[in-house]
Amino acid sequence: MCPRFFLLTFLVLPMLMACAANPTAAHQATVTPKVDAPPRVTPALMQPTNTLTNAVAEVVPDYSSEWRTDFAKFTVPLNQIISGGPPKGGIGVDAGICALFNPKFISSAEASLWLPENEPVILWELNGDVRAYPIQILIWHEIANDVVGGVPVVITYCPLCNSAIVFERTVAGERTAFGTTGRLHYSDLVMYDSTTESWWQQLTGDAIVGARAGMKLTILPSQVIAFDDFKTRFADGKVLSRDTGMSRRYGINPYTGYDSSETPFLYAGPPTPKGLKPHERVVIVQQEQNVTVYAYSLLAQEHVVNDLVRNQPVVIFWKAGTASPLDTSNISAGRDIGATGVFDPRVDGRPLTFEARDEKFLDRDTQSVWDITGRAIGGALQGKQLTPLVHGDFFWFAWAAFRPDSKIYQPATP
């Protein structure tokens, strides 16, 4: 059965049914910003209790009011920002689903009761505070506001662009929280902040509409890996709990067959440059205005790429064992797409050159063995950690819409 049929069945039809029950939601499917009617979400659903108390209570975006956004200020044409179906506040907000605030966490052992080892999680670590955010949860919520290692961050995932990105959420010296606008720009999630209700492009971190238009969020280095690799590396790491205060079919992919579709869903952007298929997974490494794109299909053959992006040495690892969250209905049954890690290959100022060895990674200089998280697990450098670099794991069409001039990496011919 064709992927588009699955998309219609699992994504579009529920939206149409919601619109039939709510004429206001149907009216929102215009390309220009409109004032949204109050969605049927209770405060209890918007603010689930957290067992890990953060130092400061979240300022939750107001889902029940009209937009406070200054639509006179924008950096992209407003008619390029289209409705994704849901109203202000969330994904399927009529069902009580929205961005997460003060999320709960459990141990890896507890998560193992429901989270298969091959499912992808977003790894984020700061100041010794290590957390995993399962894609099976974020595929429904797209945004999780959290405080990790004492730093307010927002963990984001846009299924249509396959983009998992972590940002600092202190803007202009003020801590803010993020919600979903229900809109898309080039198929990508458009977020809004709780302070000014400015709209932000998830893929780039740019404010594109509102008082903060022209500002940019700080992107933090994160990684998407299999849960098995996470719990092996971080025995005491925390895992985002399914106890979100909301009811959803966690573990089920509502975008069945999407990553094998020929055309992106709800995409209204420039043609995708030739060289890679629109839904090819790619690693993006950017240094200032220099961008290099590494196709997963190539990484799956090479397993290790040593490169230089502008003046930045880069090593990219690829390891099998991670399921696609956008393939089959059951995420854990998705085909193996592998996982990547992007690091600075220098340790204590010493540059290292890497190669693949028995599903691990070996540096030729000291013969130390490294894992997918960039930690030396054997050899002279055992216990050392490579510095992770900011990068993106996206669909090619999504990144190319913003940077069609990106260089596609080709290995040197022998």
PDB file of all heavy atoms in Angstrom, residues 237-250:
ATOM      1  N   GLY A 237      21.556   7.113  33.659  1.00  0.00           N
ATOM      2  CA  GLY A 237      20.865   8.167  32.920  1.00  0.00           C
ATOM      3  C   GLY A 237      19.360   8.129  33.141  1.00  0.00           C
ATOM      4  O   GLY A 237      18.774   7.084  33.439  1.00  0.00           O
ATOM      5  N   LYS A 238      18.714   9.277  32.984  1.00  0.00           N
ATOM      6  CA  LYS A 238      17.269   9.387  33.136  1.00  0.00           C
ATOM      7  C   LYS A 238      16.600   9.291  31.771  1.00  0.00           C
ATOM      8  O   LYS A 238      17.158   9.738  30.760  1.00  0.00           O
ATOM      9  CB  LYS A 238      16.898  10.708  33.801  1.00  0.00           C
ATOM     10  CG  LYS A 238      17.582  10.977  35.138  1.00  0.00           C
ATOM     11  CD  LYS A 238      17.127  12.314  35.692  1.00  0.00           C
ATOM     12  CE  LYS A 238      17.852  12.647  36.994  1.00  0.00           C
ATOM     13  NZ  LYS A 238      19.232  13.121  36.759  1.00  0.00           N
ATOM     14  N   VAL A 239      15.392   8.757  31.734  1.00  0.00           N
ATOM     15  CA  VAL A 239      14.633   8.600  30.489  1.00  0.00           C
ATOM     16  C   VAL A 239      13.280   9.288  30.643  1.00  0.00           C
ATOM     17  O   VAL A 239      12.604   9.105  31.672  1.00  0.00           O
ATOM     18  CB  VAL A 239      14.426   7.108  30.159  1.00  0.00           C
ATOM     19  CG1 VAL A 239      13.656   6.956  28.844  1.00  0.00           C
ATOM     20  CG2 VAL A 239      15.767   6.382  30.081  1.00  0.00           C
ATOM     21  N   LEU A 240      12.900  10.073  29.659  1.00  0.00           N
ATOM     22  CA  LEU A 240      11.590  10.732  29.668  1.00  0.00           C
ATOM     23  C   LEU A 240      10.496   9.691  29.840  1.00  0.00           C
ATOM     24  O   LEU A 240      10.440   8.697  29.119  1.00  0.00           O
ATOM     25  CB  LEU A 240      11.390  11.507  28.366  1.00  0.00           C
ATOM     26  CG  LEU A 240      10.035  12.203  28.182  1.00  0.00           C
ATOM     27  CD1 LEU A 240       9.849  13.307  29.224  1.00  0.00           C
ATOM     28  CD2 LEU A 240       9.935  12.778  26.767  1.00  0.00           C
ATOM     29  N   SER A 241       9.618   9.932  30.801  1.00  0.00           N
ATOM     30  CA  SER A 241       8.567   8.985  31.132  1.00  0.00           C
ATOM     31  C   SER A 241       7.363   9.129  30.205  1.00  0.00           C
ATOM     32  O   SER A 241       7.084  10.215  29.698  1.00  0.00           O
ATOM     33  CB  SER A 241       8.120   9.193  32.578  1.00  0.00           C
ATOM     34  OG  SER A 241       6.966   8.431  32.875  1.00  0.00           O
ATOM     35  N   ARG A 242       6.651   8.014  30.011  1.00  0.00           N
ATOM     36  CA  ARG A 242       5.375   8.049  29.304  1.00  0.00           C
ATOM     37  C   ARG A 242       4.284   8.709  30.145  1.00  0.00           C
ATOM     38  O   ARG A 242       3.209   9.016  29.632  1.00  0.00           O
ATOM     39  CB  ARG A 242       4.936   6.626  28.954  1.00  0.00           C
ATOM     40  CG  ARG A 242       5.592   6.029  27.720  1.00  0.00           C
ATOM     41  CD  ARG A 242       5.108   4.610  27.527  1.00  0.00           C
ATOM     42  NE  ARG A 242       5.365   4.119  26.178  1.00  0.00           N
ATOM     43  CZ  ARG A 242       5.022   2.906  25.759  1.00  0.00           C
ATOM     44  NH1 ARG A 242       4.403   2.074  26.600  1.00  0.00           N
ATOM     45  NH2 ARG A 242       5.283   2.525  24.535  1.00  0.00           N
ATOM     46  N   ASP A 243       4.559   8.916  31.408  1.00  0.00           N
ATOM     47  CA  ASP A 243       3.590   9.560  32.291  1.00  0.00           C
ATOM     48  C   ASP A 243       3.616  11.066  32.033  1.00  0.00           C
ATOM     49  O   ASP A 243       4.233  11.835  32.770  1.00  0.00           O
ATOM     50  CB  ASP A 243       3.932   9.246  33.753  1.00  0.00           C
ATOM     51  CG  ASP A 243       2.927   9.851  34.728  1.00  0.00           C
ATOM     52  OD1 ASP A 243       1.871  10.351  34.270  1.00  0.00           O
ATOM     53  OD2 ASP A 243       3.197   9.822  35.941  1.00  0.00           O
ATOM     54  N   THR A 244       2.956  11.473  30.965  1.00  0.00           N
ATOM     55  CA  THR A 244       2.949  12.873  30.550  1.00  0.00           C
ATOM     56  C   THR A 244       1.702  13.616  31.001  1.00  0.00           C
ATOM     57  O   THR A 244       1.576  14.815  30.738  1.00  0.00           O
ATOM     58  CB  THR A 244       3.033  12.956  29.011  1.00  0.00           C
ATOM     59  OG1 THR A 244       1.876  12.309  28.449  1.00  0.00           O
ATOM     60  CG2 THR A 244       4.299  12.292  28.488  1.00  0.00           C
ATOM     61  N   GLY A 245       0.776  12.900  31.643  1.00  0.00           N
ATOM     62  CA  GLY A 245      -0.504  13.505  31.977  1.00  0.00           C
ATOM     63  C   GLY A 245      -1.459  13.491  30.806  1.00  0.00           C
ATOM     64  O   GLY A 245      -2.548  14.062  30.870  1.00  0.00           O
ATOM     65  N   MET A 246      -1.056  12.826  29.726  1.00  0.00           N
ATOM     66  CA  MET A 246      -1.845  12.780  28.500  1.00  0.00           C
ATOM     67  C   MET A 246      -1.883  11.353  27.984  1.00  0.00           C
ATOM     68  O   MET A 246      -0.998  10.550  28.288  1.00  0.00           O
ATOM     69  CB  MET A 246      -1.260  13.711  27.444  1.00  0.00           C
ATOM     70  CG  MET A 246      -0.933  15.097  27.969  1.00  0.00           C
ATOM     71  SD  MET A 246      -0.131  16.150  26.747  1.00  0.00           S
ATOM     72  CE  MET A 246       0.667  17.335  27.832  1.00  0.00           C
ATOM     73  N   SER A 247      -2.878  11.041  27.215  1.00  0.00           N
ATOM     74  CA  SER A 247      -3.042   9.689  26.691  1.00  0.00           C
ATOM     75  C   SER A 247      -2.749   9.679  25.202  1.00  0.00           C
ATOM     76  O   SER A 247      -3.402  10.376  24.424  1.00  0.00           O
ATOM     77  CB  SER A 247      -4.477   9.197  26.942  1.00  0.00           C
ATOM     78  OG  SER A 247      -4.668   7.916  26.387  1.00  0.00           O
ATOM     79  N   ARG A 248      -1.738   8.897  24.820  1.00  0.00           N
ATOM     80  CA  ARG A 248      -1.397   8.771  23.409  1.00  0.00           C
ATOM     81  C   ARG A 248      -0.819   7.384  23.169  1.00  0.00           C
ATOM     82  O   ARG A 248      -0.338   6.731  24.098  1.00  0.00           O
ATOM     83  CB  ARG A 248      -0.391   9.850  23.002  1.00  0.00           C
ATOM     84  CG  ARG A 248      -0.519  10.353  21.571  1.00  0.00           C
ATOM     85  CD  ARG A 248      -1.900  10.780  21.207  1.00  0.00           C
ATOM     86  NE  ARG A 248      -1.957  11.585  19.999  1.00  0.00           N
ATOM     87  CZ  ARG A 248      -3.083  11.803  19.338  1.00  0.00           C
ATOM     88  NH1 ARG A 248      -4.215  11.295  19.767  1.00  0.00           N
ATOM     89  NH2 ARG A 248      -3.087  12.546  18.255  1.00  0.00           N
ATOM     90  N   ARG A 249      -0.799   6.937  21.930  1.00  0.00           N
ATOM     91  CA  ARG A 249      -0.326   5.593  21.591  1.00  0.00           C
ATOM     92  C   ARG A 249       1.193   5.609  21.410  1.00  0.00           C
ATOM     93  O   ARG A 249       1.723   5.434  20.321  1.00  0.00           O
ATOM     94  CB  ARG A 249      -1.033   5.096  20.339  1.00  0.00           C
ATOM     95  CG  ARG A 249      -2.547   4.980  20.490  1.00  0.00           C
ATOM     96  CD  ARG A 249      -3.198   4.569  19.185  1.00  0.00           C
ATOM     97  NE  ARG A 249      -2.829   3.197  18.821  1.00  0.00           N
ATOM     98  CZ  ARG A 249      -2.969   2.694  17.604  1.00  0.00           C
ATOM     99  NH1 ARG A 249      -3.427   3.466  16.615  1.00  0.00           N
ATOM    100  NH2 ARG A 249      -2.647   1.439  17.350  1.00  0.00           N
ATOM    101  N   TYR A 250       1.892   5.829  22.517  1.00  0.00           N
ATOM    102  CA  TYR A 250       3.345   5.861  22.468  1.00  0.00           C
ATOM    103  C   TYR A 250       3.882   4.519  21.977  1.00  0.00           C
ATOM    104  O   TYR A 250       3.455   3.465  22.425  1.00  0.00           O
ATOM    105  CB  TYR A 250       3.912   6.189  23.846  1.00  0.00           C
ATOM    106  CG  TYR A 250       3.484   7.541  24.379  1.00  0.00           C
ATOM    107  CD1 TYR A 250       2.910   7.676  25.630  1.00  0.00           C
ATOM    108  CD2 TYR A 250       3.652   8.691  23.613  1.00  0.00           C
ATOM    109  CE1 TYR A 250       2.528   8.908  26.128  1.00  0.00           C
ATOM    110  CE2 TYR A 250       3.271   9.932  24.089  1.00  0.00           C
ATOM    111  CZ  TYR A 250       2.706  10.041  25.350  1.00  0.00           C
ATOM    112  OH  TYR A 250       2.319  11.273  25.819  1.00  0.00           O
TER     113      TYR A 250
END
